Amino acid sequence: MITFSTWEWIRASGLSAYFLLFLSVCFGLIQNMNIINRNIRNVLFLMHQTAGWFAFLFAFFHGLLLYFDDYQPFSIREIFIPFLANYQPFFTGLGIIAFYSMFLIFVTTDLMKKVGRNIWKTVHLLILPSFILVSIHGLFIGTDTEETWGKNIYASAIFCFSILTVFRFLSKITVKNNRNRG
Ligand code: HEM
């Protein structure tokens, strides 16, 4: 029977969280574009939310497993407080910040009526810089970055993310300009 070490589980859950976060961000950006048909939007919205929840769960599992690692164990403080870790404090700190921004999104979404739409939206958009932070996190400390396929994953994800972000903001500017003219 094949068994995996804790470090392998940490890597697998980190990559899974990254991929799911990538999907969630992409579905979110696409469903927000005005050129998309309403029915497709609804499906994309559901996929956006589901991928986001699973990304959060995998990221939690990924961070927590570091506590049980024999080779480079993290204390609970090192896992939850950014930049405190002995091992790669800066790059692990970026992962922790991204994790908290996901957490904030869930909290403000649940409390949307209380916090108001503007705060909810600002917090929601925080995931865009957080995605960059988590890409740097994985790229610089991930064991799999040594492999060509590992580097390709980050390069392709950042490429798609950048294109969709530009399109998303351009589509909003075009709609605003058309409204002002009309
Ligand atoms: C949004 C949250 C997070 C995501 C999406 C994420 C994603 C990733 C990815 C993709 C890798 C590279 C894995 C590999 O190359 O095999 C990685 C590595 C790592 N992450 Fe995270 N991470 C997150 C949060 C955290 C947190 C909260 C910690 C806790 C300190 C952490 C600690 C680490 C460590 C120590 C590594 C190095 C593992 C290795 O050597 O491959 N990450 N992470």
Side-chain angles (χ1 to χ4, degrees):
M1 200 179 84
I2 305 169
T3 50
F4 295 103
S5 66
T6 315
W7 200 246
E8 280 162 336
W9 280 109
I10 292 166
R11 286 160 56 193
S13 53
L15 283 174
S16 310
Y18 183 68
F19 181 62
L20 287 161
L21 182 62
F22 166 74
L23 289 183
S24 174
V25 171
C26 290
F27 293 144
L29 288 168
I30 300 172
Q31 65 89 30
N32 218 284
M33 290 178 194
N34 300 299
I35 43 170
I36 304 289
N37 162 295
R38 184 168 279 275
N39 289 336
I40 300 179
R41 268 185 185 208
N42 292 342
V43 176
L44 286 170
F45 180 66
L46 195 69
M47 285 157 72
H48 160 69
Q49 281 186 320
T50 313
W53 264 110
F54 277 103
F56 180 74
L57 290 180
F58 272 92
F60 182 72
F61 185 60
H62 166 71
L64 200 66
L65 276 178
L66 289 162
Y67 181 76
F68 301 97
D69 190 57
D70 304 322
Y71 177 68
Q72 184 67 62
F74 279 53
S75 67
I76 292 292
R77 270 156 52 94
E78 287 177 305
I79 295 171
F80 289 103
I81 306 179
F83 312 115
L84 263 197
N86 255 332
Y87 176 74
Q88 299 280 6
F90 178 70
F91 293 115
T92 50
L94 299 186
I96 300 171
I97 291 177
F99 177 75
Y100 282 131
S101 66
M102 287 164 85
F103 181 70
L104 261 184
I105 289 177
F106 293 124
V107 173
T108 50
T109 302
D110 276 349
L111 298 176
M112 200 195 308
K113 279 198 183 126
K114 278 197 183 134
V115 297
R117 208 184 140 75
N118 282 348
I119 293 186
W120 170 81
K121 199 168 178 175
T122 312
V123 171
H124 223 79
L125 287 177
L126 267 182
I127 204 63
L128 300 178
S130 292
F131 183 74
I132 303 282
L133 296 189
V134 92
S135 302
I136 298 173
H137 163 85
L139 192 61
F140 283 89
I141 55 170
T143 309
D144 296 311
T145 312
E146 287 159 22
E147 310 288 337
T148 309
W149 63 262
K151 291 190 189 80
N152 286 344
I153 285 182
Y154 296 105
S156 337
I158 293 167
F159 177 75
C160 296
F161 166 82
S162 312
I163 300 267
L164 286 176
T165 306
V166 171
F167 266 109
R168 193 276 189 191
F169 286 101
L170 282 182
S171 93
K172 292 284 167 196
I173 293 171
T174 318
V175 170
K176 256 190 197 159
N177 286 347
N178 288 348
R179 266 196 210 135
N180 289 344
R181 264 188 227 131

